[in-house]
Amino acid sequence: MARSDFLQSLVEHGIVHESEAEELPLRYGNKDFDIAIGLYGHLSLPDDRELLGHLYGTSIGKAYVPLARTLFQAEALEKLVRDMALKLQCIPIYYLGNVLTCATARPEDEAATATLSRLVGSAVSTVFAFPQEIANYIEIEYGNQEDLQRVCDELSDQARNPDQITPEQLKQFASSAGVVHLVRGLLLYCIKNNASDIHIQPTAKALAIRFRIDGQLHTLLTLGSALKEPLLIRLKVLSGLNVVERRLPQDGRVSLELRDKSYDFRLSTVPTAFGEKAVLRAIGSSDQVVKSLDELGLSRRNRKLLGDMIKVSHGVLYVTGPTGSGKTTTLYSALSSLNTPDINIVTVEDPVELRIDGLSQIQVNTAVELDFPRSLRAILRQDPEVVLVGEIRDLETARIASQAALTGHLVMTTLHTNNSFQAITRLVDIGLDPYLVAPSVIGVVAQRLVRRICLHCKEKYAATADVLNVLFKDWTNEEVYFYRGRGCEACGNSGYAGRIAVHEIFVVTDGIRDMITKHASITEIEREAVRHGFTSMRYDGILKALQGLTTVDEVERVTAAVKRQG
């Protein structure tokens, strides 16, 4: 049987090997569409799936649109109700010039397109997307605040005060369709809005549901307090936690299952004065790929410094910053760049946020006394070249990590400090001797996340003299331009969409090692680092503001506590 052009393109682009091409029709069917759908389920990497989509789209003369990277227009979604979108296996993307662009699994079907056109009352342009993607994004994109509020109102009518019902009745209510739908809706809303956290916080008379989007907390819903227990029980069931334990903090993991992928969330519960509070941290999807170092937003100079440091055969590299500043993302990128078959990389984390093929990743489990020190001692008997320690929390872990570095291992870890230089004082403060700190530390990367300007409403403006006099000591009255977002539908009128990191990298030179050993002050060490070319996080932020990536206000807000001469 002659091979189709689509099959041939799969071979030419490396999606399948020559020897596999003849088996595909037998495995999935003779039609190109069946082969494309079958292969989509077989491929795990997003880049491979995207290439497959483009090749199939080309074979039928239609564009492929990866829905995971698509901005859905609210006006377009309103043109087609959810039930019809599910029935027709299509999802509207945008509406422009009286033409509705829809993603469908069968964009070449002219009869179906004509039916859709009559249904929405406008011309329709179709693009290709895989049916699994369409089903997922119908569920994600059609969810909104009004739908969640409606579900909450219905549940509030059904809910009774926990003191008035038995524990068994409470558990039954927590597993009811309404509560299940509400929890799933909250997780889907988190994905839709790229939120990093969901806060479920009890107050004196209500329950507040808040989302952290681009670093800012927004209250989405305020529920009746009677829904607190059912909501918490449902989350505990999903994460395998003890549903009756309310006095102690608990940690677990919740997975949201979709058609072809799952999204993971880390769940933390703590007792408060008004009852248990839960926070869900979005970790990522099952097909998430670790960012490369080039995708971290590092300046050219900082990219080279970090690249050089992780090539060192032994020593400790610290990444510092507050919770939620992207430290783990940076470390995973560094590990990924080193991850080759000839290098043994072992990690100990709490929790393992992203599973990476080729790495031996160990999850801390305090229930069986598997903590950081014990895990790290065991790791060093596993013949590693590179070790990742999720966080330095105590003297014992810091001492083992430093000794491992001095005996020929590259150790990467995180530390909670305000800036890069404070990592040195922090290590000494927890009890690590300067004679261990000085020879073991390679360098410190400090970082924060700033909000990125929305690309859809970005505008350029001339900075005022007052602003320039504050930012630049040597400003000479020349005009300088910055950027800001006006606010639009795409960014919820905030002017921002997404975040980018600002960094400072402190490289420990031989001269600085001597200074650490002699108990030099942080001011003296900083002065020496500046003499060797150190630039501050604020300096990096201002450069990114000049490039139009973020705003001056964001840089000032985020780096106010770490300002230096820059």
Side-chain angles (χ1 to χ4, degrees), residues 212-359:
R212 188 175 295 280
I213 301 172
D214 293 339
Q216 308 294 304
L217 271 176
H218 304 272
T219 299
L220 176 76
L221 300 168
T222 301
L223 315 182
S225 58
L227 290 179
K228 179 191 68 177
E229 291 295 341
L231 205 54
L232 266 292
I233 289 174
R234 177 61 186 166
L235 288 171
K236 288 179 179 180
V237 168
L238 288 174
S239 56
L241 299 183
N242 185 344
V243 296
V244 298
E245 179 57 75
R246 301 182 182 90
R247 302 163 301 170
L248 298 173
Q250 294 191 74
D251 294 295
R253 196 179 186 107
V254 175
S255 288
L256 173 66
E257 300 293 335
L258 296 180
R259 287 291 185 91
D260 63 315
K261 67 171 72 174
S262 62
Y263 289 87
D264 288 337
F265 300 80
R266 188 172 72 232
L267 173 66
S268 169
T269 67
V270 294
T272 73
F274 297 116
E276 277 187 291
K277 177 185 177 182
V279 174
L280 289 147
R281 163 63 59 88
I283 297 175
S285 62
S286 56
D287 63 354
Q288 184 176 337
V289 177
V290 178
K291 288 184 177 180
S292 70
L293 289 176
D294 293 330
E295 295 176 296
L296 293 180
L298 291 155
S299 68
R300 187 177 302 174
R301 179 180 182 276
N302 285 341
R303 168 67 178 84
K304 183 179 187 308
L305 289 176
L306 180 56
D308 289 344
M309 285 194 292
I310 64 174
K311 291 176 184 174
V312 175
S313 61
H314 60 278
V316 185
L317 170 64
Y318 290 93
V319 180
T320 74
T323 301
S325 60
K327 300 186 298 295
T328 302
T329 298
T330 298
L331 285 173
Y332 278 167
S333 296
L335 287 181
S336 181
S337 70
L338 298 173
N339 187 16
T340 57
D342 59 326
I343 294 180
N344 181 22
I345 302 175
V346 187
T347 77
V348 52
E349 306 170 62
D350 184 22
V352 174
E353 294 195 5
L354 186 60
R355 295 170 177 84
I356 305 174
D357 192 30
L359 272 58

Side-chain angles (χ1 to χ4, degrees), residues 258-467:
L258 296 180
R259 287 291 185 91
D260 63 315
K261 67 171 72 174
S262 62
Y263 289 87
D264 288 337
F265 300 80
R266 188 172 72 232
L267 173 66
S268 169
T269 67
V270 294
T272 73
F274 297 116
E276 277 187 291
K277 177 185 177 182
V279 174
L280 289 147
R281 163 63 59 88
I283 297 175
S285 62
S286 56
D287 63 354
Q288 184 176 337
V289 177
V290 178
K291 288 184 177 180
S292 70
L293 289 176
D294 293 330
E295 295 176 296
L296 293 180
L298 291 155
S299 68
R300 187 177 302 174
R301 179 180 182 276
N302 285 341
R303 168 67 178 84
K304 183 179 187 308
L305 289 176
L306 180 56
D308 289 344
M309 285 194 292
I310 64 174
K311 291 176 184 174
V312 175
S313 61
H314 60 278
V316 185
L317 170 64
Y318 290 93
V319 180
T320 74
T323 301
S325 60
K327 300 186 298 295
T328 302
T329 298
T330 298
L331 285 173
Y332 278 167
S333 296
L335 287 181
S336 181
S337 70
L338 298 173
N339 187 16
T340 57
D342 59 326
I343 294 180
N344 181 22
I345 302 175
V346 187
T347 77
V348 52
E349 306 170 62
D350 184 22
V352 174
E353 294 195 5
L354 186 60
R355 295 170 177 84
I356 305 174
D357 192 30
L359 272 58
S360 300
Q361 296 174 274
I362 299 171
Q363 168 75 54
V364 166
N365 186 352
T366 53
V368 293
E369 299 182 351
L370 183 64
D371 54 14
F372 277 113
R374 187 171 185 177
S375 300
L376 189 49
R377 281 192 292 267
I379 282 174
L380 296 178
R381 295 191 288 271
Q382 291 283 312
D383 187 32
E385 281 94 357
V386 180
V387 175
L388 168 69
V389 183
E391 184 183 346
I392 297 295
R393 296 178 178 173
D394 51 51
L395 173 59
E396 187 177 7
T397 309
R399 182 179 289 124
I400 298 170
S402 298
Q403 291 170 341
L406 296 176
T407 54
H409 304 87
L410 174 61
V411 181
M412 300 183 194
T413 188
T414 69
L415 198 62
H416 286 275
T417 65
N418 196 36
N419 59 54
S420 56
F421 296 107
Q422 286 179 3
I424 303 301
T425 54
R426 171 71 178 138
L427 291 170
V428 174
D429 286 346
I430 65 175
L432 196 63
D433 294 319
Y435 71 80
L436 277 178
V437 175
S440 63
V441 180
I442 305 168
V444 183
V445 179
Q447 63 183 70
R448 298 285 192 281
L449 294 178
V450 294
R451 289 181 289 175
R452 188 190 288 267
I453 297 173
C454 174
L455 294 176
H456 296 86
C457 61
K458 183 165 75 172
E459 65 180 11
K460 190 176 183 180
Y461 71 96
T464 65
D466 290 344
V467 170

Side-chain angles (χ1 to χ4, degrees), residues 118-190:
R118 288 193 299 272
L119 191 63
V120 300
S122 71
V124 170
S125 173
T126 56
V127 295
F128 172 69
F130 291 100
Q132 298 97 318
E133 295 177 325
I134 293 169
N136 287 343
Y137 282 90
I138 288 174
E139 188 172 13
I140 292 169
E141 293 298 327
Y142 275 95
N144 55 44
Q145 184 173 350
E146 290 73 24
D147 289 339
L148 288 173
Q149 186 64 62
R150 177 180 50 77
V151 173
C152 291
D153 292 342
E154 292 173 357
L155 286 173
S156 296
D157 293 339
Q158 304 169 22
R160 286 185 287 166
N161 190 309
D163 295 334
Q164 299 174 350
I165 60 176
T166 67
E168 190 57 39
Q169 289 173 322
L170 187 59
K171 289 180 184 179
Q172 288 177 358
F173 183 48
S175 61
S176 67
V179 175
V180 170
H181 183 51
L182 175 59
V183 170
R184 188 173 181 86
L186 293 174
L187 300 180
L188 289 166
Y189 189 91
C190 179

Side-chain angles (χ1 to χ4, degrees), residues 14-85:
I15 295 292
V16 297
H17 296 297
E18 182 79 36
S19 58
E20 295 177 297
E22 306 305 328
E23 300 175 7
L24 293 179
L26 299 175
R27 189 184 309 169
Y28 301 121
N30 291 324
K31 295 180 180 179
D32 288 345
F33 176 78
D34 295 330
I35 292 172
I37 301 306
L39 274 177
Y40 179 87
H42 177 73
L43 299 173
S44 57
L45 295 178
D47 286 349
D48 289 343
R49 287 180 166 181
E50 191 168 324
L51 177 56
L52 174 66
H54 285 301
L55 293 176
Y56 179 72
T58 299
S59 73
I60 60 173
K62 291 287 185 177
Y64 165 70
V65 175
L67 299 185
R69 295 194 290 107
T70 298
L71 179 66
F72 293 85
Q73 189 184 55
E75 184 182 3
L77 291 167
E78 291 170 0
K79 291 283 183 182
L80 187 68
V81 297
R82 173 181 174 147
D83 289 346
M84 290 307 299

